[in-house]
mmCIF file of all heavy atoms in Angstrom:
data_model
loop_
_atom_site.group_PDB
_atom_site.id
_atom_site.type_symbol
_atom_site.label_atom_id
_atom_site.label_comp_id
_atom_site.label_asym_id
_atom_site.label_seq_id
_atom_site.Cartn_x
_atom_site.Cartn_y
_atom_site.Cartn_z
ATOM 1 N N PRO U 114 -17.341 -19.102 -2.944
ATOM 2 C CA PRO U 114 -16.690 -20.343 -2.512
ATOM 3 C C PRO U 114 -17.687 -21.470 -2.276
ATOM 4 O O PRO U 114 -17.362 -22.635 -2.173
ATOM 5 C CB PRO U 114 -15.984 -19.939 -1.225
ATOM 6 C CG PRO U 114 -16.812 -18.807 -0.658
ATOM 7 C CD PRO U 114 -17.321 -18.058 -1.855
ATOM 8 N N ARG U 115 -18.987 -21.146 -2.224
ATOM 9 C CA ARG U 115 -19.971 -22.171 -1.937
ATOM 10 C C ARG U 115 -20.044 -23.099 -3.132
ATOM 11 O O ARG U 115 -20.251 -22.676 -4.279
ATOM 12 C CB ARG U 115 -21.334 -21.496 -1.636
ATOM 13 C CG ARG U 115 -22.397 -22.518 -1.255
ATOM 14 C CD ARG U 115 -23.668 -21.737 -0.794
ATOM 15 N NE ARG U 115 -24.762 -22.693 -0.605
ATOM 16 C CZ ARG U 115 -25.641 -22.960 -1.546
ATOM 17 N NH1 ARG U 115 -25.655 -22.313 -2.731
ATOM 18 N NH2 ARG U 115 -26.573 -23.874 -1.307
ATOM 19 N N ASP U 146 -25.548 -14.609 0.236
ATOM 20 C CA ASP U 146 -24.818 -14.607 1.497
ATOM 21 C C ASP U 146 -23.475 -13.833 1.390
ATOM 22 O O ASP U 146 -23.106 -13.413 0.278
ATOM 23 C CB ASP U 146 -24.581 -16.016 2.037
ATOM 24 C CG ASP U 146 -24.587 -16.105 3.551
ATOM 25 O OD1 ASP U 146 -24.431 -15.025 4.195
ATOM 26 O OD2 ASP U 146 -24.785 -17.188 4.107
ATOM 27 N N HIS U 168 -24.437 -3.218 -3.756
ATOM 28 C CA HIS U 168 -24.677 -4.535 -4.425
ATOM 29 C C HIS U 168 -26.179 -4.778 -4.560
ATOM 30 O O HIS U 168 -26.559 -5.506 -5.466
ATOM 31 C CB HIS U 168 -24.008 -5.660 -3.622
ATOM 32 C CG HIS U 168 -24.450 -5.748 -2.192
ATOM 33 N ND1 HIS U 168 -24.133 -4.855 -1.238
ATOM 34 C CD2 HIS U 168 -25.166 -6.713 -1.580
ATOM 35 C CE1 HIS U 168 -24.679 -5.221 -0.100
ATOM 36 N NE2 HIS U 168 -25.311 -6.330 -0.285
ATOM 37 N N ASP U 231 -43.914 -24.687 -10.314
ATOM 38 C CA ASP U 231 -44.905 -25.557 -9.777
ATOM 39 C C ASP U 231 -44.248 -26.781 -9.079
ATOM 40 O O ASP U 231 -44.869 -27.756 -8.770
ATOM 41 C CB ASP U 231 -45.877 -25.995 -10.837
ATOM 42 C CG ASP U 231 -45.140 -26.377 -12.151
ATOM 43 O OD1 ASP U 231 -44.397 -27.368 -12.151
ATOM 44 O OD2 ASP U 231 -45.396 -25.660 -13.108
ATOM 45 N N ASP U 247 -24.315 -44.390 -3.725
ATOM 46 C CA ASP U 247 -23.281 -45.422 -3.878
ATOM 47 C C ASP U 247 -23.789 -46.750 -3.450
ATOM 48 O O ASP U 247 -24.394 -46.944 -2.386
ATOM 49 C CB ASP U 247 -22.029 -45.048 -3.096
ATOM 50 C CG ASP U 247 -22.370 -44.507 -1.750
ATOM 51 O OD1 ASP U 247 -23.584 -44.227 -1.534
ATOM 52 O OD2 ASP U 247 -21.435 -44.479 -0.896
ATOM 53 N N GLU U 258 -18.001 -48.542 13.875
ATOM 54 C CA GLU U 258 -18.720 -47.443 13.205
ATOM 55 C C GLU U 258 -20.183 -47.730 13.201
ATOM 56 O O GLU U 258 -21.020 -46.800 13.304
ATOM 57 C CB GLU U 258 -18.185 -47.301 11.782
ATOM 58 C CG GLU U 258 -16.821 -46.681 11.795
ATOM 59 C CD GLU U 258 -15.919 -47.253 10.729
ATOM 60 O OE1 GLU U 258 -16.421 -48.054 9.902
ATOM 61 O OE2 GLU U 258 -14.762 -46.933 10.733
ATOM 62 N N CYS N 121 -12.345 -42.718 8.563
ATOM 63 C CA CYS N 121 -13.641 -43.079 9.248
ATOM 64 C C CYS N 121 -13.443 -44.209 10.213
ATOM 65 O O CYS N 121 -14.415 -44.713 10.829
ATOM 66 C CB CYS N 121 -14.645 -43.492 8.178
ATOM 67 S SG CYS N 121 -15.151 -42.120 7.118
ATOM 68 N N ARG N 143 -17.632 -18.122 5.034
ATOM 69 C CA ARG N 143 -18.887 -17.342 5.320
ATOM 70 C C ARG N 143 -18.784 -16.491 6.491
ATOM 71 O O ARG N 143 -18.400 -16.928 7.580
ATOM 72 C CB ARG N 143 -20.062 -18.403 5.510
ATOM 73 C CG ARG N 143 -21.397 -17.775 5.714
ATOM 74 C CD ARG N 143 -22.502 -18.804 5.786
ATOM 75 N NE ARG N 143 -23.747 -18.239 6.155
ATOM 76 C CZ ARG N 143 -24.203 -18.247 7.412
ATOM 77 N NH1 ARG N 143 -23.559 -18.865 8.339
ATOM 78 N NH2 ARG N 143 -25.357 -17.646 7.736
ATOM 79 N N ASP N 174 -22.670 -26.325 5.207
ATOM 80 C CA ASP N 174 -22.581 -26.202 3.760
ATOM 81 C C ASP N 174 -21.185 -26.622 3.389
ATOM 82 O O ASP N 174 -20.310 -26.816 4.192
ATOM 83 C CB ASP N 174 -22.910 -24.756 3.340
ATOM 84 C CG ASP N 174 -23.559 -24.673 1.999
ATOM 85 O OD1 ASP N 174 -23.368 -25.670 1.156
ATOM 86 O OD2 ASP N 174 -24.205 -23.697 1.672
ATOM 87 N N TYR N 249 -28.109 -12.819 6.303
ATOM 88 C CA TYR N 249 -27.893 -11.499 5.764
ATOM 89 C C TYR N 249 -29.205 -10.854 5.352
ATOM 90 O O TYR N 249 -30.026 -11.464 4.705
ATOM 91 C CB TYR N 249 -26.874 -11.577 4.592
ATOM 92 C CG TYR N 249 -26.765 -10.218 3.891
ATOM 93 C CD1 TYR N 249 -26.130 -9.202 4.564
ATOM 94 C CD2 TYR N 249 -27.292 -9.967 2.632
ATOM 95 C CE1 TYR N 249 -26.016 -7.930 3.997
ATOM 96 C CE2 TYR N 249 -27.201 -8.728 2.029
ATOM 97 C CZ TYR N 249 -26.563 -7.720 2.704
ATOM 98 O OH TYR N 249 -26.454 -6.472 2.203
ATOM 99 N N ARG N 272 -30.128 -20.290 5.193
ATOM 100 C CA ARG N 272 -29.342 -20.002 6.349
ATOM 101 C C ARG N 272 -30.203 -19.822 7.523
ATOM 102 O O ARG N 272 -29.855 -19.234 8.593
ATOM 103 C CB ARG N 272 -28.589 -18.638 6.050
ATOM 104 C CG ARG N 272 -27.727 -18.582 4.870
ATOM 105 C CD ARG N 272 -26.813 -19.779 4.783
ATOM 106 N NE ARG N 272 -25.769 -19.618 3.778
ATOM 107 C CZ ARG N 272 -24.944 -20.577 3.378
ATOM 108 N NH1 ARG N 272 -25.100 -21.805 3.762
ATOM 109 N NH2 ARG N 272 -23.991 -20.302 2.439
ATOM 110 N N ILE N 308 -50.881 -27.196 -12.583
ATOM 111 C CA ILE N 308 -49.893 -27.723 -11.725
ATOM 112 C C ILE N 308 -50.439 -28.742 -10.781
ATOM 113 O O ILE N 308 -49.806 -29.635 -10.330
ATOM 114 C CB ILE N 308 -49.237 -26.588 -10.900
ATOM 115 C CG1 ILE N 308 -50.330 -25.771 -10.274
ATOM 116 C CG2 ILE N 308 -48.316 -25.750 -11.720
ATOM 117 C CD1 ILE N 308 -49.825 -24.787 -9.166
#
Side-chain angles (χ1 to χ4, degrees):
Chain U
R115 183 173 172 265
D146 213 341
H168 60 290
D231 43 67
D247 43 347
E258 287 141 8
Chain N
C121 293
R143 181 172 171 264
D174 213 337
Y249 175 67
R272 305 310 194 192
I308 52 168

